[in-house]
Amino acid sequence: MKLHPLAVAVLALTFGAAHADALSPTEQKIVAEVKAHAPQGLELLERSVNINSGTMNHDGVRAVGKLFGEQFAQLGFATRWSDMPAAMQRAGHLIATREGKQGKRLLLIGHLDTVFEKDSTVQLWQRNGDRVRGQGVNDMKGGDVIIVEALRALQRVGALDNTNITIVFSGDEENAGEPIAVSRADMVNAAKRSDIALAFEATVRDKSGRDTGTIGRRSSSSWELKVSGKQGHSSGIFSESAGYGAIYEAARILDGFRQQVIEPDLTFSPGLIVGGTDTTTNALGTTGQAAGKSNVIARSATVEGDLRYLTYEQRDRAHAKMKAIVAQNLPGTSASISFRDAYPPMSPTAGNLAVLKAYSQASQDAGLGEIPALPPGQRGAGDIQFVAPLLDSLDGLGATGNGAHSPDEDLEIASIERATVRIAILLYRLTR
């Protein structure tokens, strides 16, 4: 059996660690630098959180991009701002690069925006002992700071020289601009020039309290169900001439999905339904209107739903089963279903697992414990999914906190140093 190239490297690292059972002298210096400058990292986090950068607050997104761009410039990266076309109504992205020929070519992914728009009443920065609350503090400005501080530690010991690292901080991760092919072009192009992608969404803990790594994330896609029936007097429903009406047919189809399509890591949720004599929904499928009477058989029904899958094979199975159920119409009705993909899946692969093993080894060597894989079904969609089909990838490398996207979003301060130590060692090893 031929091993994946990175898997061979992981085995070599594991073998070496089993004999040395310690960090190298350079790695020990890197860890010392991370710890010595932890207060600087927390200060950077506070500065970034105190700038509102809701996706639609373009000035705020650019301001946070400027703050982080200055950090990367100090570390010898070439930085630029990638504007999006005005019609897309998105601020753009921060790109930072170092050109070198040593070790793996790395792509580091973060995002500048949060779900908290300019009019949000959520407090910006509030420290409570060993925790911090604030807008986007763990999703994902904490992860952005970890990238900066890990690279800063490497630079202080001279380990950034001749490395090849690209950083993409998107400005619209929470609400990606359309068309996706444009809003994610910079990220995809960077992936094509890289060997490994590392993304810094928040670290999730498993049931035993261990920090985890993300080797798979489910897709984000949608479906729309359109159902038609014969309008008529309600007293005639179920008869051969009147049939069952659109609402009964919609109910049959949805219950068919529930009973016949379920499998592990696959979900499909009807989020909006309208039915009656006349129905309409807006172009985004987020609002609808219906008119009807209790004594009139429903003529139309529309359902807008969400579909999440882990692999394209799983998607294709779900699509086929759903279409077959839709086609088995009750008398006097007809129905059709359409699908729309948005975020592709990040399928678990041997290459992704090899990156996780290297990360876990770095953690263990630093005395921070093993890092298991998070079950892929436990994460939603994220930016790394646009590049995961192109190269080995790992996500969930950011800070640890609670309540993301809520007024209670917070972060465990110690998790910044912990994650920065792990990442700094991993980056050092991958770029040797």
Side-chain angles (χ1 to χ4, degrees), residues 105 107 190-192 194-197 349 352 387-393:
R105 301 171 300 169
L107 169 60
K192 292 176 180 178
S194 303
D195 301 310
I196 298 171
T349 65
N352 294 356
V387 303
L390 302 173
L391 73 177
D392 298 335
S393 305

Side-chain angles (χ1 to χ4, degrees), residues 93-351:
H93 315 306
L94 171 65
I95 315 293
T97 56
R98 280 188 71 105
E99 300 290 340
K101 299 184 180 301
Q102 180 172 287
K104 298 292 184 182
R105 301 171 300 169
L106 304 181
L107 169 60
L108 311 183
I109 297 173
H111 66 83
L112 304 166
D113 63 321
T114 76
V115 299
F116 304 98
E117 293 298 339
K118 197 171 184 178
D119 60 355
S120 172
T121 59
V122 174
Q123 188 165 343
L124 290 171
W125 177 268
Q126 180 183 25
R127 180 165 180 175
N128 301 306
D130 61 356
R131 303 189 76 86
V132 169
R133 292 176 61 174
Q135 297 182 9
V137 70
N138 78 57
D139 186 15
M140 64 169 290
K141 291 178 180 178
D144 297 338
V145 168
I146 288 165
I147 293 174
V148 171
E149 292 306 308
L151 293 171
R152 205 187 306 276
L154 294 181
Q155 191 234 20
R156 288 194 180 105
V157 302
L160 270 186
D161 296 342
N162 201 31
T163 58
N164 191 304
I165 301 174
T166 301
I167 300 162
V168 178
F169 280 7
S170 62
D172 61 349
E173 192 275 345
E174 301 293 0
N175 187 357
E178 297 281 358
I180 292 290
V182 175
S183 66
R184 291 300 174 268
D186 290 306
M187 194 174 293
V188 170
N189 290 336
K192 292 176 180 178
R193 302 188 301 269
S194 303
D195 301 310
I196 298 171
L198 303 173
F200 291 77
E201 293 281 5
T203 295
V204 177
R205 287 184 173 145
D206 65 12
K207 293 180 179 178
S208 63
R210 295 178 299 176
D211 292 344
T212 66
T214 299
I215 61 170
R217 300 184 72 148
R218 296 189 301 157
S219 73
S220 175
S221 66
S222 61
W223 49 272
E224 181 180 65
L225 175 66
K226 292 280 193 180
V227 183
S228 297
K230 294 180 180 179
Q231 183 176 338
H233 198 287
S234 61
S235 63
I237 197 166
F238 310 142
S239 67
E240 183 176 346
S241 60
Y244 282 69
I247 291 178
Y248 268 123
E249 171 66 349
R252 177 200 69 80
I253 292 170
L254 294 179
D255 196 51
F257 292 171
R258 180 186 66 83
Q259 295 191 56
Q260 301 175 43
V261 186
I262 288 177
E263 61 179 75
D265 295 320
L266 177 72
T267 58
F268 38 91
S269 172
L272 180 147
I273 182 169
V274 291
T277 305
D278 295 292
T279 62
T280 59
T281 58
N282 68 348
L284 297 176
T286 56
T287 63
Q289 291 184 317
K293 297 179 68 177
S294 61
N295 63 351
V296 178
I297 298 172
R299 183 175 60 188
S300 67
T302 300
V303 184
E304 305 288 347
D306 170 88
L307 175 67
R308 296 178 185 258
Y309 50 86
L310 196 52
T311 66
Y312 286 117
E313 292 77 13
Q314 186 176 54
R315 177 199 65 182
D316 293 344
R317 286 196 303 273
H319 283 189
K321 290 177 182 178
M322 294 170 82
K323 288 177 180 177
I325 293 167
V326 168
Q328 298 165 9
N329 305 126
L330 290 172
T333 69
S334 61
S336 63
I337 190 169
S338 59
F339 300 93
R340 178 179 177 274
D341 286 339
Y343 281 63
M346 176 187 180
S347 302
T349 65

Side-chain angles (χ1 to χ4, degrees), residues 414-425:
S415 71
I416 299 176
E417 180 182 297
R418 190 166 61 241
T420 303
V421 166
R422 291 168 174 153
I423 286 300
I425 295 171

